[in-house]
Amino acid sequence: MNMPFYVAPEQVMKDRADYARKGIARGRALVAIRYDEGVVIVAENSSATLRKISEIYDRIGFAGVGRYNEYDQLRVAGVRAADLKGYQYSRDDVDARSLANLYAQHLGQVFTHEMKPMEVEILVAEVGQTSEGDQMFHVLYDGTVMDEQDFAALGGDTDAITERVKAGWSDGLDLAAAVRLGRSALAGEERTLDPADLEVAYLARGNGRRCFRRLSDGEVEPLTTTATS
Amino acid sequence: MPMFLPNDDPGANFPALLRRTGLTETGPGGERLGGDIPHATTCVAVRFADGVIMAGDRRATSGNLISHRTMEKVVEADRHSAVAIAGAAGPAMEMIRVFQLQLEHYEKVEGSALSLEGKANQLSMMVRGNLQGAFAGLAVVPIFGGYDLRRETGRVWAYDVTGGRYEEREYVTTGSGSLHAGTVIKIGFRDDLDRSGVLALVAKALWEAADADSATGGPDALRGIYPVVATITADGFTPVADDELATTFESVAEEVRAR
């Protein structure tokens, strides 16, 4: 009888985490920033059709980095979970926290039980009735959930990006300032990012029932060119 | 988390997702339930240059009784379309709710909205799905209209209980008062009517329907309850405000007094 080689559980987990982290670091990053009217998400994405940022529900947005097919599958599952819950109970009962928990359960399950962990990091953002109610949940490949305040960076090189956002962030930024901050934080010192390289969407309190709006390249352009701060 | 294998994924179909997750009961069937469940009544949709105007009265009846005075039978299906219903109120409201959810669900999952034709077809399938209910006396017959962003024109559809879908060039009506309302519109319709002209025409149509059909409610100035009227144009679904409706119906009343 063949005995399988013994591999310490610590080693298995470490290998899987390294694998997932490597996959995520290969992709381009995104940042979510709280501003006066809600949350804006700026992603580096040169594709105009394969999206990283999407609408989940009335006040909830989704952003993912890493492998496209994997986070898109999670996005669709999130839309389904939210629509089913809103249908079964009430639209008011759909919230980002329980959705983030569902994602965490699923990612944790895949991480420990499947051959391959998911190479994704996702963000679930909810815009509240007032700015105190804004929430951002950052879920990692292994199911770790982090409740982010004010801003969050996902993807590769996030430490440097987070530092740059932190340096420029203040309470009560307007949309244009938040988009500029996101763009410069993603670009860093050496590069500049054109509107065509960016995907920008926001959740705003004043948008009616469905708070999610996507900005086209043409709409991003004037936001990024006014007054360099 | 609702996850499916690629080979049995419900895609962007919300009703299919409801069935898969066991949230829909099988539709009513078998014996006829009789006449004491609420029914709802006269709705019209008329095309004009900028799009469509849709209107419906507010009354629901259970047999001889008026069971609701403030029902909203004309509702926004999504930004550029509206649906109005006649028939058994319970199944009708549920059908509208699932229809609205389906349009939004599709838009979110697929990343772009269904075409207007696609929405009309989707509603047709939902009406057909209620065929068992129709046999049990719980028929739901909607009308659908909207602004077609691709063809840049308003379009309207009528349905029958079996899910038959009929696109009309001028107007559609549904409900017990539809014969009266339809006749008024047929006589008064002109290709060059503008928004206010069509508004006056649908107000007159609902007035005559309410006058001749006991299950259709007229404008209720005493309680301040007016029919729901909405325009669907390139700018989307916009309800007509109550004060504008009040003046429109007042001028219809003037005209009737002067007869």
Side-chain angles (χ1 to χ4, degrees), chain B residues 24 32 204 240:
Chain B
T24 39
R32 210 178 158 78
K204 211 156 120 187
V240 177

Side-chain angles (χ1 to χ4, degrees), chain A residues 121-188:
Chain A
E121 248 178 70
I122 57 173
L123 182 90
V124 183
E126 177 174 351
V127 64
Q129 300 292 347
T130 61
S131 64
E132 286 78 46
D134 294 347
Q135 294 175 339
M136 287 187 273
F137 296 98
H138 182 172
V139 189
L140 299 187
Y141 54 85
D142 61 352
T144 307
V145 190
M146 290 176 289
D147 179 4
E148 306 271 10
Q149 309 297 322
D150 306 334
F151 48 81
L154 282 75
D157 199 23
T158 47
D159 290 343
I161 294 172
T162 310
E163 281 307 313
R164 289 196 284 267
V165 180
K166 197 185 271 176
W169 192 84
S170 61
D171 207 358
L173 287 175
D174 66 7
L175 181 63
V179 171
R180 280 199 300 277
L181 176 61
R183 178 199 188 198
S184 61
L186 287 175

Side-chain angles (χ1 to χ4, degrees), chain A:
Chain A
M1 186 183 152
N2 286 327
M3 285 292 284
F5 288 113
Y6 174 77
V7 185
E10 291 89 344
Q11 189 61 43
V12 177
M13 293 303 154
K14 190 178 168 302
D15 288 351
R16 285 189 181 165
D18 286 345
Y19 177 82
R21 257 190 242 119
K22 249 183 241 163
I24 293 161
R26 267 198 296 273
R28 318 219 166 215
L30 65 81
V31 286
I33 299 170
R34 213 160 62 72
Y35 75 105
D36 58 356
E37 272 298 293
V39 177
V40 61
I41 305 174
V42 183
E44 191 179 345
N45 183 0
S46 49
S47 169
T49 45
L50 301 178
R51 282 150 179 175
K52 293 186 167 180
I53 314 166
S54 326
E55 176 184 16
I56 293 274
Y57 210 63
D58 295 351
R59 316 189 72 85
I60 303 174
F62 172 97
V65 295
R67 271 178 98 90
Y68 175 79
N69 69 319
E70 293 183 350
Y71 67 73
D72 197 61
Q73 184 194 1
L74 292 173
R75 175 188 71 86
V76 172
V79 171
R80 284 176 179 156
D83 277 349
L84 284 172
K85 194 173 182 191
Y87 171 79
Q88 203 173 0
Y89 306 107
S90 147
R91 297 197 84 92
D92 298 338
D93 296 317
V94 180
D95 63 335
R97 188 186 48 82
S98 69
L99 191 63
N101 281 335
L102 278 179
Y103 279 131
Q105 294 294 330
H106 183 76
L107 284 165
Q109 175 79 13
V110 171
F111 184 77
T112 41
H113 295 277
E114 304 279 324
M115 276 289 290
K116 176 190 110 50
M118 291 182 105
E119 297 160 70
V120 294
E121 248 178 70
I122 57 173
L123 182 90
V124 183
E126 177 174 351
V127 64
Q129 300 292 347
T130 61
S131 64
E132 286 78 46
D134 294 347
Q135 294 175 339
M136 287 187 273
F137 296 98
H138 182 172
V139 189
L140 299 187
Y141 54 85
D142 61 352
T144 307
V145 190
M146 290 176 289
D147 179 4
E148 306 271 10
Q149 309 297 322
D150 306 334
F151 48 81
L154 282 75
D157 199 23
T158 47
D159 290 343
I161 294 172
T162 310
E163 281 307 313
R164 289 196 284 267
V165 180
K166 197 185 271 176
W169 192 84
S170 61
D171 207 358
L173 287 175
D174 66 7
L175 181 63
V179 171
R180 280 199 300 277
L181 176 61
R183 178 199 188 198
S184 61
L186 287 175
E189 302 289 311
E190 301 90 52
R191 312 186 292 158
T192 49
L193 291 171
D194 291 329
D197 303 323
L198 295 176
E199 181 187 352
V200 183
Y202 63 102
L203 291 157
R205 267 177 279 287
N207 277 350
R209 178 170 71 81
R210 289 169 76 176
C211 298
F212 184 88
R213 289 286 181 286
R214 193 181 291 287
L215 291 175
S216 66
D217 290 348
E219 291 167 316
V220 172
E221 179 86 56
L223 291 181
T224 51
T225 48
T226 46
T228 43
S229 54

Side-chain angles (χ1 to χ4, degrees), chain B residues 203-204 207 219 246-259:
Chain B
K204 211 156 120 187
W207 178 287
T247 36
T248 310
F249 277 104
E250 186 49 43
S251 52
V252 175
E254 297 272 318
E255 201 188 310
V256 173
R257 266 183 226 119
R259 272 176 196 166

Side-chain angles (χ1 to χ4, degrees), chain B residues 69-245:
Chain B
R69 296 174 194 282
T70 56
M71 248 188 88
E72 304 209 347
K73 304 169 196 173
V74 175
V75 296
E76 181 177 9
D78 70 352
R79 207 171 127 61
H80 287 101
S81 64
V83 58
I85 41 115
M93 288 323 219
E94 175 65 10
M95 187 183 289
I96 284 183
R97 198 156 87 102
V98 176
F99 182 57
Q100 286 171 318
L101 272 169
Q102 161 63 10
L103 299 189
E104 186 184 322
H105 188 72
Y106 182 97
E107 187 186 329
K108 289 190 292 194
V109 171
E110 294 288 324
S112 60
L114 268 170
S115 66
L116 194 65
E117 182 108 23
K119 293 173 197 169
N121 202 1
Q122 177 72 57
L123 185 58
S124 162
M125 286 158 71
M126 297 177 104
V127 177
R128 194 185 318 136
N130 186 48
L131 197 58
Q132 281 291 321
F135 281 122
L138 300 173
V140 175
V141 184
I143 51 177
F144 178 71
Y147 187 81
D148 192 327
L149 292 165
R150 298 179 199 191
R151 301 184 191 190
E152 298 183 337
T153 179
R155 298 171 75 186
V156 292
W157 282 267
Y159 295 85
D160 64 26
V161 282
T162 63
R165 173 169 56 93
Y166 313 98
E167 183 172 7
E168 294 292 341
R169 291 168 60 184
E170 297 174 346
Y171 68 93
V172 290
T173 58
T174 185
S176 56
S178 62
L179 179 63
H180 306 288
T183 307
V184 173
I185 294 174
K186 188 160 83 180
I187 293 168
F189 185 85
R190 301 286 177 275
D191 272 337
D192 57 353
L193 284 177
D194 62 356
R195 180 183 176 278
S196 60
V198 179
L199 191 59
L201 184 61
V202 295
K204 211 156 120 187
L206 287 179
W207 178 287
E208 296 299 343
D211 195 47
D213 172 36
S214 62
T216 299
D220 189 343
L222 196 67
R223 296 187 180 84
I225 302 167
Y226 292 96
V228 178
V229 184
T231 60
I232 307 105
T233 62
D235 298 329
F237 178 97
T238 321
V240 177
D242 269 359
D243 44 356
E244 191 180 356
L245 290 176

